[in-house]
Amino acid sequence: MTFKAAAVQMCSGVDPQRNAESMARLVKDAAARGAIYVQTPEMTGAVQKDRPGLMGVLRDEENDLIVKAASDLARELAIHLHVGSTAIKLPDGKIANRAFLFGPDGAKIASYDKIHMFDVDLDNGESWRESSVYRPGERALVADLPFAKIGFGVCYDVRFPHLFRAEAMAGAEILTTPAAFTKQTGEAHWEILLRARAIENGAFVISAAQAGLHEDGRETFGHSMIVGPWGKILAAAGGTGEAVVMAEIDTEAVKACRAKIPNLKNGRDFQLDIAPVLAKGGVTV
């Protein structure tokens, strides 16, 4: 099946209401241009590194502003709308970095909590400890939509290929990695990672990203991208500011790529051995 997909690039601030308005404007633009599947970035609702400030605007899923706005938009535009993620308040005081997929009737089809936490110290002085604030997800997800099977991931998940391999083995034809990649890591790895996930799974990869300098001082890499199953970049945005990138998705191309390089079928289980260390003279130690 062939259809149009869009990745919406944003520069979300600290106010969910303003971010919801930006989301609506960009999603409507994508739908007007024929997209029936539209994806927004990670942390669509608020990019806010100050924990008290973030906690002050958080709501549970039932009362979340972005969740309601996205449901209404999907219904109004009769599209499948994928909120790349937004922060959801949990009963235990932690936060879920949660993606949502809404159908053309506005109903929630599925949600996915980011599994892998970005706990890193970068050499430019940036330090991140997502696990101190967010509760990691425990379940991968593939949604079977009328036009394609879609596998879910969020940002740092893209560095864990076994997640996407499991989704591809479950039939996913499109893999998704909405993100708020840091500028430093994005410059080094973003395109390579997205193209690698596409090539190794023979799948489309759609990645809506945050871009530019945010209100909280964070700088994100942008370059929202749609990659084909052969690794070709089909559409890409720049590194700053809002954008809508679109591409024609033909799921027959997934079948063709997987027929050419049938690595999903050719994989084998194996045993990993650790060879003993040999001292000088060939003596095992």
Side-chain angles (χ1 to χ4, degrees):
M1 180 173 179
T2 301
F3 65 97
K4 285 187 178 179
V8 166
Q9 182 161 290
M10 298 176 65
C11 186
S12 294
V14 300
D15 181 357
Q17 180 60 49
R18 290 204 308 268
N19 297 330
E21 292 167 0
S22 296
M23 174 183 73
R25 175 169 41 79
L26 292 163
V27 169
K28 286 179 180 179
D29 179 24
R33 291 160 60 185
I36 64 168
Y37 165 87
V38 183
Q39 181 192 121
T40 72
E42 180 185 26
M43 287 297 146
T44 291
V47 172
Q48 168 64 282
K49 65 183 177 183
D50 176 67
R51 185 173 183 182
L54 179 60
M55 294 302 293
V57 299
L58 286 190
R59 300 291 181 268
D60 60 20
E61 182 177 320
E62 186 176 350
N63 297 294
D64 184 75
L65 178 65
I66 295 295
V67 169
K68 181 169 190 316
S71 172
D72 291 345
L73 267 174
R75 182 172 54 252
E76 175 190 345
L77 302 171
I79 62 170
H80 283 80
L81 179 54
H82 175 182
V83 176
S85 85
T86 198
I88 297 295
K89 187 176 183 179
L90 300 175
D92 63 3
K94 287 244 181 178
I95 305 168
N97 189 345
R98 184 167 292 171
F100 292 92
L101 179 64
F102 298 95
D105 60 355
K108 184 180 81 171
I109 294 172
S111 63
Y112 164 83
D113 289 356
K114 182 178 180 180
I115 292 173
H116 299 97
M117 299 289 97
F118 191 53
D119 289 358
V120 301
D121 298 300
L122 302 178
D123 56 17
N124 67 352
E126 289 185 68
S127 183
W128 302 94
R129 290 292 180 274
E130 283 189 339
S131 62
S132 68
V133 179
Y134 294 92
R135 187 182 72 187
E138 297 179 342
R139 299 179 68 85
L141 174 68
V142 173
D144 191 357
L145 303 184
F147 45 82
K149 291 182 179 179
I150 296 182
F152 285 71
V154 175
C155 200
Y156 192 48
D157 283 335
V158 76
R159 295 183 182 271
F160 299 85
H162 55 285
L163 170 63
F164 300 96
R165 174 53 55 90
E167 294 176 350
M169 292 295 289
E173 299 154 306
I174 298 172
L175 304 173
T176 62
T177 58
F181 243 62
T182 67
K183 190 170 187 292
Q184 182 187 17
T185 57
E187 287 173 342
H189 300 148
W190 175 248
E191 179 184 322
I192 296 167
L193 287 168
L194 297 186
R195 295 183 70 193
R197 296 297 83 84
I199 292 166
E200 68 198 10
N201 293 299
F204 288 91
V205 171
I206 302 178
S207 300
Q210 296 282 357
L213 185 61
H214 299 261
E215 281 182 283
D216 70 344
R218 186 181 321 190
E219 191 170 10
T220 51
F221 182 64
H223 295 85
S224 299
M225 200 172 291
I226 302 176
V227 182
W230 200 245
K232 181 180 178 181
I233 297 172
L234 304 179
T240 58
E242 297 179 343
V244 175
V245 297
M246 299 184 62
E248 194 106 331
I249 305 296
D250 183 358
T251 54
E252 290 299 315
V254 174
K255 294 178 184 177
C257 284
R258 290 177 178 174
K260 288 178 186 176
I261 309 290
N263 60 315
L264 297 184
K265 293 181 179 179
N266 292 347
R268 290 173 52 84
D269 294 331
F270 54 86
Q271 177 178 311
L272 175 63
D273 294 330
I274 305 297
V277 177
L278 297 180
K280 289 182 179 178
V283 178
T284 302
V285 296

